[in-house]
Every structure is written in structure tokens, then in C-alpha cells.
Amino acid sequence: VAAGYDYRQCGGEFVIMGDADGTVEIEGYPYSVEVVLDPDSDDRYVLMGSLSEDSLNVFQLDADNKPTLIQQLALGTGLNDIIDTGTGSVFVTSKYGAVLFHLKLEHGLFSLAGSVGLPVAASSTDYSRALAWSEKSSRLYIVYRSPDSILAVDLAADESEEIVASVIDIVPVGNKPTAVALVDYGTTSGEFPEEMLYVVSMDEDAVYALDGATLSVLEKIKLGRSPYAISHNPKRKEAYVLNFADEEQPISIIDLDPESASFHQVIGRD
């Protein structure tokens, strides 16, 4: 689910299902997707990256949600995740490179505003995975694989009001982390942070709960086999984790209601 739209990848096709179905053929291995809203207009875009092709595909959605390909940006292969900050800045991670791309949306077109080199602890072919964005702290959080960790990237405006991204912290977490969800708990009594990160650890069959401000690990929640992806439902106060290698229980449901007796426990398996 990306900004209210369901998506799926079917071989060489990318399908958006909104008010009307639209199908666009895409070469390579479509993998990452994000719906981007233009902060200066009502225009909407779908950005889609590929693991095998070196282009980021940009589609514009019309009033019937039909996508039209308007741009292809050469960013390299392995585009693993995309996130819209809602300010005209979009960030893209690369599985195959230690770099974070910064795109800027202006006058209906996306351009590469810059890139940030990420730390490398050892020779690797597996680097960035998922992204999370905190509007409160103006931080990006990156699930990283070289080494297994979570990175905090500060986004600050310089004197010319241009966004400058810089890595401010890296904390080891999990074994083969794959995904992250940020949950804003709002003003709290101090018993737990206002924001928490939930990082999926695939090889440990678990999700780590981290303080969003300090990145300290607060809890480890055991799940099904080989958890891979996570999604947060703020209305139901639940998180849904896809267990990649668990055919009997492919989805674990975690209670995220701090007032519940089952807070941070698995309350359902589908």
C-alpha cells in the first residue's frame, strides 16, 4: 500500500488499482514504489524503481488514476525504497550502492538534487533497504546491511533553504534487517518515546522496537519465520508483518496500543 493505493508487480507489468485500473509495461524487475503529492499543486505522481534496470520511472496520474510515463531518471540498479517527505524532496535507497539519492520536485519534473555517501564497514554488495521518515525530527531512518544497522539521516536547510542530508548516527540492530515502520505515539507520559521505530530482523524471526530519538533498542518481539516487510495501521493501532517463509502463518499482527495489556505482543496470525 502506498499513500492509499494498492499495488502489485506482475512480471513486466506495474498495476495501479484506484478508482480505475491502469496498466503500464515495465522492463526489468520492478520493486520499489511511492505515490508523491506535489505540495504546490494537486498533481500526483508514482515513482517506481527497479532492481535490474538503471532508471527510476516517473508516472503522472490523471483524474481517473491512469498513469502516464513522463520521466526516467538514471540512478543505477537496485533501487530498493522510495519515500516522499511531503516537501518536494524525495529520497531513494540503493541495495547495490552505499548512497542515498535526493530528488527534488519542481514545476512538475523531478531532478537529482544530490546524493549522500553512506558508511561502509566492509566490502559488500548489499547496502540500503527500507526507509522511514519523521516529520517531527526531520530525520530519515535507513535499514542498512553494511553492517546490519539502522542509520539516522538529518535533513536540515542551509542558508539558501536547500535541504542538506547528513548521516548523524548508525546503530547495530538485528540480523539481516529488511524493513522499518515509524509510529508516532504523540505526547506521552515519559514511559516510552513519542516516536518508535520497528525494525524487521529476518534471520532472527523478530521485530526490534527502538526509541526514535536515541535509537536505543527497547524490546524484541518474536514473530513467524523469516519476517520481511512491515506496515502500520494507525487507526487500529496495529502493525502487520509479512513472514516470508511461513506458509501457515504468513502475517503476524502486533498490538501497538500502549494502553492495551497486550502491547507489543503478537495478537493474531493470518
Side-chain angles (χ1 to χ4, degrees):
V1 177
Y5 292 84
D6 292 332
Y7 67 91
R8 65 172 182 263
Q9 53 194 52
C10 308
E13 294 184 343
F14 174 59
V15 182
I16 302 173
M17 296 177 294
D19 295 332
D21 290 344
T23 302
V24 177
E25 292 187 0
I26 295 297
E27 296 180 357
Y29 188 169
Y31 194 82
S32 53
V33 66
E34 177 77 330
V35 175
V36 177
L37 308 180
D38 190 332
D40 298 323
S41 71
D42 294 329
D43 293 337
R44 299 166 301 146
Y45 306 88
V46 173
L47 274 59
M48 194 195 68
S50 170
L51 290 184
S52 60
E53 299 295 318
D54 64 359
S55 293
L56 178 74
N57 299 282
V58 179
F59 302 88
Q60 186 167 11
L61 298 178
D62 65 15
D64 295 322
N65 292 326
K66 182 180 178 180
T68 300
L69 182 64
I70 62 170
Q71 276 186 277
Q72 288 183 306
L73 302 176
L75 300 182
T77 59
L79 303 181
N80 197 91
D81 201 9
I82 308 165
I83 199 159
D84 176 23
T85 64
T87 63
S89 286
V90 177
F91 292 86
V92 184
T93 58
S94 172
K95 179 180 178 181
Y96 303 140
V99 61
L100 175 70
F101 297 106
H102 174 201
L103 306 180
K104 195 169 183 179
L105 172 60
E106 290 183 310
H107 310 298
L109 292 175
F110 291 84
S111 61
L112 181 62
S115 59
V116 180
L118 302 177
V120 179
S123 177
S124 175
T125 58
D126 193 354
Y127 295 95
S128 299
R129 292 301 183 105
L131 281 164
W133 159 247
S134 169
E135 185 176 359
K136 279 186 174 180
S137 62
S138 295
R139 284 185 183 180
L140 285 173
Y141 297 97
I142 306 174
V143 173
Y144 206 54
R145 286 282 188 91
S146 182
D148 293 342
S149 54
I150 188 84
L151 273 63
V153 178
D154 182 60
L155 303 183
D158 61 15
E159 295 179 355
S160 61
E161 297 187 353
E162 293 294 321
I163 296 295
V164 178
S166 57
V167 178
I168 58 173
D169 204 355
I170 177 170
V171 175
V173 61
N175 189 352
K176 288 189 178 179
T178 58
V180 60
L182 184 145
V183 177
D184 184 353
Y185 286 103
T187 303
T188 70
S189 61
E191 295 181 2
F192 53 89
E194 290 189 22
E195 292 185 326
M196 293 186 68
L197 296 169
Y198 294 88
V199 180
V200 176
S201 177
M202 188 173 186
D203 276 9
E204 292 183 295
D205 300 337
V207 164
Y208 283 87
L210 281 69
D211 184 324
T214 65
L215 297 187
S216 58
V217 175
L218 304 178
E219 196 166 348
K220 182 178 179 181
I221 306 166
K222 294 296 291 182
L223 300 172
R225 293 173 54 203
S226 300
Y228 187 79
I230 186 169
S231 179
H232 168 228
N233 185 332
K235 290 185 178 180
R236 295 182 60 89
K237 298 182 180 180
E238 295 174 345
Y240 309 107
V241 182
L242 174 65
N243 300 313
F244 189 77
D246 199 330
E247 294 184 359
E248 294 184 358
Q249 298 175 343
I251 297 176
S252 297
I253 303 172
I254 302 172
D255 185 355
L256 297 184
D257 184 354
E259 297 182 358
S260 169
S262 56
F263 179 59
H264 277 178
Q265 296 180 26
V266 175
I267 56 174
R269 302 180 190 272
D270 292 331

